[in-house]
Amino acid sequence: MKWFKEVWGLFVDDPLLAILGLVALAAGSVAARMGAQDWSGFVIFVVIVVAMTLSVRRD
């Protein structure tokens, strides 16, 4: 449960990261609706990794 609080705190403390997380979910759902179910998880993963990288480098 400790890891969940740390991840939750990361998103709450960084509003840009939270917005990019929502963008990742939207992009993944669009990909799934377009018939690329195999790629939708990969899209979400890549956007979240990029968002977290930007967040860490910005601080």
Side-chain angles (χ1 to χ4, degrees):
M1 203 60 172
K2 182 180 177 184
W3 65 269
F4 180 76
K5 289 181 181 178
E6 290 180 16
V7 171
W8 177 258
L10 179 64
F11 280 99
V12 171
D13 291 339
D14 192 356
L16 178 64
L17 187 58
I19 290 170
L20 288 175
L22 292 175
V23 168
L25 289 175
S29 67
V30 167
R33 294 249 178 206
M34 291 177 57
Q37 288 87 1
D38 295 338
W39 287 96
S40 62
F42 180 70
V43 168
I44 292 172
F45 175 76
V46 168
V47 173
I48 291 294
V49 166
V50 169
M52 293 184 82
T53 303
L54 289 174
S55 176
V56 169
R57 287 187 182 223
R58 194 169 38 121
D59 290 339

